[in-house]
């Protein structure tokens, strides 16, 4: 599999490409949750609220950043990294558009996030995710994250992972 068509770079959380990726991310994860728990898709007004409330999420320099992955120059995914204490960073909002999955982008995006965490002074990267996001959990395990005890009180978090950055 060739990864030469991929690039990953830091981008402002409010750039047009980031905004489109936020919308795709929140649409997918919100619809998935509501379909599973309530048998419906996300209400459009609620989706707008989720996008507005969650897009920054500590991802502003100097404490955090947003990475955007591009495939063939087109925005394909994103990942956020933010400081979470001395020597610890959190991986947030990892997402690849559905049509870009299975092309090696997740590994490149997470590797770039690990480098970004190191640049923030972290020796450990942690994350949380939901139980229904089984594909994400499999990717994290494949990329060397190990499931750990709860490290936060996020309302939708059901699984917690960590990786030592060496």
């Amino acid at each position: 599999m060739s990864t030469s068509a991929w690039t990953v770079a830091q981008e402002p959380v409010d750039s047009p490409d980031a905004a489109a990726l936020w919308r795709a991310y929140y649409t997918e994860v919100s619809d998935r949750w509501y379909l599973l728990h309530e048998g419906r898709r996300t209400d459009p007004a609620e989706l707008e609220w989720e996008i507005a409330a969650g897009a920054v999420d500590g991802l502003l320099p100097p404490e955090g950043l947003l990475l955007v992955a591009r495939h063939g120059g087109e925005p394909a995914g994103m990942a956020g990294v933010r400081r979470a204490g001395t020597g610890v960073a959190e991986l947030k909002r990892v997402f690849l558009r559905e049509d870009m999955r299975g092309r090696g982008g997740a590994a490149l995006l997470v590797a770039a996030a690990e480098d970004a965490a190191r640049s923030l002074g972290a020796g450990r990267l942690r994350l949380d995710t939901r139980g229904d996001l089984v594909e994400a959990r499999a990717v994290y395990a494949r990329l060397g994250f190990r499931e750990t005890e709860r490290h936060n009180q996020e309302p939708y978090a059901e699984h917690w992972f960590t990786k030592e950055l060496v």
Side-chain angles (χ1 to χ4, degrees):
M1 166 185 359
S2 172
T3 57
S4 62
W6 288 98
T7 61
V8 179
Q10 185 175 344
E11 187 150 337
V13 296
D14 60 352
S15 75
D17 287 344
L21 290 166
W22 288 121
R23 179 165 301 287
Y25 167 82
Y26 277 107
T27 299
E28 181 174 331
V29 297
S30 184
D31 278 356
R32 196 164 176 169
W33 192 89
Y34 279 113
L35 286 167
L36 178 65
H37 295 283
E38 297 183 11
R40 65 174 178 90
R41 294 199 177 279
T42 310
D43 175 87
E46 187 171 22
L47 180 64
E48 293 307 315
W49 179 86
E50 288 178 12
I51 292 167
V56 173
D57 202 17
L59 304 180
L60 296 175
E63 296 300 309
L65 56 92
L66 178 70
L67 298 168
V68 170
R70 288 183 168 74
H71 187 270
E74 295 297 316
M78 65 180 181
V81 179
R82 68 179 182 194
R83 277 185 237 254
T86 303
V88 180
E90 280 188 306
L91 183 59
K92 303 294 293 180
R93 310 294 187 252
V94 177
F95 173 74
L96 279 176
R97 290 187 352 233
E98 189 172 3
D99 62 325
M100 291 288 114
R101 295 175 191 162
R103 298 180 185 200
L108 292 173
L109 189 54
V110 171
E114 290 172 5
D115 288 343
R118 286 184 197 93
S119 75
L120 292 172
R124 182 178 336 123
L125 187 58
R126 68 184 187 190
L127 64 95
D128 64 69
T129 191
R130 296 191 331 226
D132 63 310
L133 300 176
V134 294
E135 303 90 344
R137 291 182 9 236
V139 166
Y140 298 135
R142 181 174 49 85
L143 296 177
F145 287 81
R146 62 180 175 79
E147 194 154 358
T148 61
E149 297 296 317
R150 172 187 291 265
H151 64 256
N152 63 28
Q153 298 301 316
E154 293 291 329
Y156 297 105
E158 298 169 310
H159 295 270
W160 297 264
F161 291 82
T162 189
K163 182 176 184 178
E164 298 301 319
L165 302 175
V166 291

